[in-house]
Amino acid sequence: MNNSFEEITEIIDECDSIAVAGHVSPDGDAVSSCCAVAMALEKKGKQVTVFLEDVPEKFRAVPYSDKIKTEPSDEDFDLFISLDCGDEGRLGEFTYLIKNTLTVNIDHHVSNTYFGRYNFVDGDASSTCELVYRLLDGWCPLDKDIAYALYTGIIFDTGCFKHSSTSPFTMQAAAELMTYNIPFTEIQEKLFYSHTPVEAKMLGTAIENMELMCGGSLAVSQLSIEEMEKNGGNSKDADAIVSYLKNTDGVDAAVFFYEKKKGEIKASMRSNERVNVSEIAVKFGGGGHVRASGCTLFGTFEEVMPKVVEELKRALEV
Ligand code: 5GP
Ligand code: MN
């Protein structure tokens, strides 16, 4: 069950030292929601530490991102705020914070397991940043840096206001954030309309590997570590690829498999209204949203791919 934002801000008001963390392989929403919350907490006079895995270069312009700690610490905190994490495991090496500390869980994944002592989960919200925007309303005044972060998370998770999770409220929030004179063109350009040469080359190999199944409604592709290395990259350069597969005309669902390390394969899924890919990801221990989800599988491509592809085929047959 959800707590109210009032209950959550009351608890925050009572605490002094606060840890904040988001999910492994942090994306634009995870990085930005953590930074926005941290900046707001500092305005409220709190001691704040943000923990995240390495922040990808794309998101390093987000204010506060240079202060993020990438290693766990043995420090004690009064409160821990988990952002953009559907379950405890998504916190990776920072999961220990839940065990040691009173936890607030704020998230927008439908698969959320309500692992916090206090929870605010809204599967219909476009992004965790949209929820943070609501949390701060009437409690902590916005400024240009917080607006920059919140706008970044919202556009990242909505694909620039394109995904069906974009609501009139999302647009109202973005409109208010724009009034803080944030460089919105630059933010969009960096996140959506530019890529590194390595990302472009990896995309090329992934497209070459693409197979269309189910009469063209299912797109499947994969990249091994060797293929990524041949292009001068690694799994961190692969996260935009699945959208290109999904954008193929006639495709209703896409899955992209890529090796994180030998024997550990990440599956990224995207779909339109025909398939609930969150349900499929959950079957494999992952989660996410109805139209965007992921999971990690262990084994070789030959072992893991058919299992997921089979589920997608079955879902497309219905
Ligand atoms: P992506 O495919 O871009 O990595 O992730 C798509 C969505 O699914 C994101 O919202 C992400 O947080 C979620 N997601 C990806 N992998 C996992 C996973 O292993 N477990 C859970 N619970 N969610 C995931
Ligand atoms: Mn998110």
Side-chain angles (χ1 to χ4, degrees):
M1 240 248 312
N2 270 342
N3 295 95
S4 64
F5 281 133
E6 288 70 32
E7 282 174 285
I8 291 173
T9 51
E10 263 171 37
I11 286 295
I12 296 174
D13 283 333
E14 283 167 19
C15 295
D16 291 320
S17 64
I18 302 177
V20 177
H23 62 75
V24 289
S25 304
D27 63 10
D29 192 30
V31 172
S32 304
S33 57
C34 287
C35 291
V37 166
M39 290 186 281
L41 292 175
E42 284 195 348
K43 277 188 150 184
K44 289 271 174 186
K46 310 294 178 188
Q47 263 324 104
V48 190
T49 311
V50 176
F51 297 99
L52 277 177
E53 282 183 356
D54 271 348
V55 173
E57 199 281 324
K58 259 191 196 118
F59 312 128
R60 290 202 194 133
V62 176
Y64 198 97
S65 62
D66 56 332
K67 300 198 183 84
I68 292 171
K69 301 264 185 307
T70 53
E71 298 292 331
S73 84
D74 50 17
E75 235 177 302
D76 283 327
F77 300 96
D78 300 333
L79 189 72
F80 167 47
I81 304 178
S82 168
L83 295 164
D84 207 33
C85 290
D87 58 65
E88 303 180 32
R90 293 286 286 158
L91 286 157
E93 58 179 344
F94 305 115
T95 309
Y96 75 93
L97 289 163
I98 303 179
K99 299 197 174 67
N100 302 349
T101 326
L102 184 66
T103 297
V104 174
N105 160 30
I106 299 176
D107 183 40
H108 72 125
H109 291 95
V110 275
S111 56
N112 195 288
T113 57
Y114 287 77
F115 56 84
R117 167 69 183 75
Y118 293 85
N119 301 280
F120 194 94
V121 179
D122 180 356
D124 291 326
S126 71
S127 52
T128 300
C129 276
E130 185 178 309
L131 296 178
V132 172
Y133 172 85
R134 285 169 58 189
L135 174 79
L136 301 190
D137 185 35
W139 179 64
C140 179
L142 301 182
D143 58 32
K144 186 174 179 177
D145 284 351
I146 296 177
Y148 187 118
L150 294 177
Y151 184 87
T152 301
I154 290 174
I155 67 155
F156 185 84
D157 266 23
T158 58
C160 260
F161 309 115
K162 177 170 80 79
H163 300 155
S164 56
S165 57
T166 311
S167 67
F169 179 80
T170 314
M171 304 307 289
Q172 277 164 11
E176 195 201 334
L177 298 172
M178 280 176 76
T179 66
Y180 289 88
N181 271 330
I182 52 172
F184 59 89
T185 307
E186 196 180 299
I187 301 173
Q188 293 193 13
E189 186 73 34
K190 182 89 180 156
L191 263 53
F192 289 97
Y193 303 105
S194 65
H195 45 242
T196 63
V198 166
E199 284 171 331
K201 287 174 118 185
M202 287 200 4
L203 173 64
T205 311
I207 298 290
E208 266 176 40
N209 291 348
M210 179 172 82
E211 243 189 278
L212 291 172
M213 302 174 188
C214 299
S217 62
L218 175 62
V220 181
S221 183
Q222 78 284 336
L223 277 184
S224 65
I225 287 183
E226 291 77 18
E227 286 169 310
M228 292 187 260
E229 282 177 353
K230 220 169 102 195
N231 288 311
N234 58 47
S235 60
K236 294 199 172 81
D237 304 298
D239 51 288
I241 291 172
V242 67
S243 314
Y244 286 89
L245 306 178
K246 169 66 188 51
N247 288 345
T248 309
D249 280 347
V251 166
D252 289 320
V255 55
F256 175 57
F257 299 91
Y258 57 108
E259 270 181 324
K260 290 270 195 185
K261 46 188 175 202
K262 271 285 156 233
E264 186 180 322
I265 295 171
K266 166 84 198 256
S268 255
M269 288 177 260
R270 298 291 184 271
S271 69
N272 60 18
E273 66 281 351
R274 274 186 71 192
V275 181
N276 181 338
V277 287
S278 171
E279 276 177 3
I280 297 176
V282 167
K283 283 189 185 164
F284 296 100
H289 309 289
V290 175
R291 295 173 190 194
S293 72
C295 55
T296 299
L297 303 131
F298 298 92
T300 61
F301 284 111
E302 292 73 22
E303 285 161 355
V304 307
M305 281 176 61
K307 296 180 193 163
V308 180
V309 169
E310 217 34 63
E311 290 290 339
L312 283 161
K313 281 184 178 170
R314 199 173 313 153
L316 280 163
E317 275 164 17
V318 189

